Amino acid sequence: MRNFGRIALIGAACVAGGSITSALMAHGNVTPQAVDTAALPEIGTEWVQHNPYRGNATAAKIGESAYGQNCARCHGLDAESGGIAPDLRYLEVGDSGDEWFIQRYQHGSSHDGKVYMPPFGDVLGQKAGWAIRAWLETKHQE
């Protein structure tokens, strides 16, 4: 009888541990969320080098939603990073900042075989990327 109690306790601990582990692991591999960019002007299939939506309020609104669904997990809510990934509020505005942003957005970032940011270019598309960038420029800080 004494062994039964011990086995039951160990079993309960395993079940509890497994549920905690699966909850923590759920924060891991996340599927990118689609972004509805139908309201934005077409920009073609070739990647442009500078943000065609800069100053476009509709693009910024779409970008805010897209950021929240796909970027905030690492870069922080409202673009305010907690240190896991770069704080995008400090990304240079204008064409010079566009170059760094679109490179990272298209190709992601990896070092020594470790992926620090997955590539989003082929997954979410150019229009979504530039909409996110348009919103990020509204959050810029020096």
Side-chain angles (χ1 to χ4, degrees):
M1 203 40 114
R2 188 175 217 179
N3 284 340
F4 178 74
R6 193 173 291 167
I7 292 171
L9 183 60
I10 291 170
C14 288
V15 169
S19 66
I20 291 169
T21 301
S22 65
L24 293 174
M25 295 303 280
H27 199 65
N29 193 8
V30 176
T31 303
Q33 300 298 302
V35 179
D36 181 3
T37 58
L40 297 175
E42 289 300 323
I43 53 178
T45 56
E46 292 295 318
W47 284 85
V48 296
Q49 297 304 305
H50 304 291
N51 192 350
Y53 302 138
R54 182 169 288 116
N56 181 321
T58 301
K61 184 174 176 138
I62 291 169
E64 179 179 16
S65 175
Y67 176 92
Q69 294 173 11
N70 294 291
C71 311
R73 179 174 168 264
C74 294
H75 290 282
L77 295 174
D78 211 31
E80 189 173 333
S81 177
I84 294 174
D87 191 316
L88 298 178
R89 295 174 302 157
Y90 300 107
L91 181 60
E92 192 173 339
V93 295
D95 291 348
S96 55
D98 288 350
E99 183 179 336
W100 181 88
F101 175 83
I102 206 60
Q103 174 68 23
R104 277 296 157 93
Y105 176 80
Q106 278 184 283
H107 305 290
S109 175
S110 61
H111 305 284
D112 299 324
K114 296 177 186 169
V115 175
Y116 291 94
M117 178 177 157
F120 283 100
D122 290 339
V123 178
L124 298 180
Q126 176 173 215
K127 288 171 69 175
W130 288 124
I132 292 168
R133 172 76 170 138
W135 177 74
L136 284 171
E137 285 195 340
T138 71
K139 308 308 287 180
H140 178 73
Q141 293 187 6
E142 291 296 326

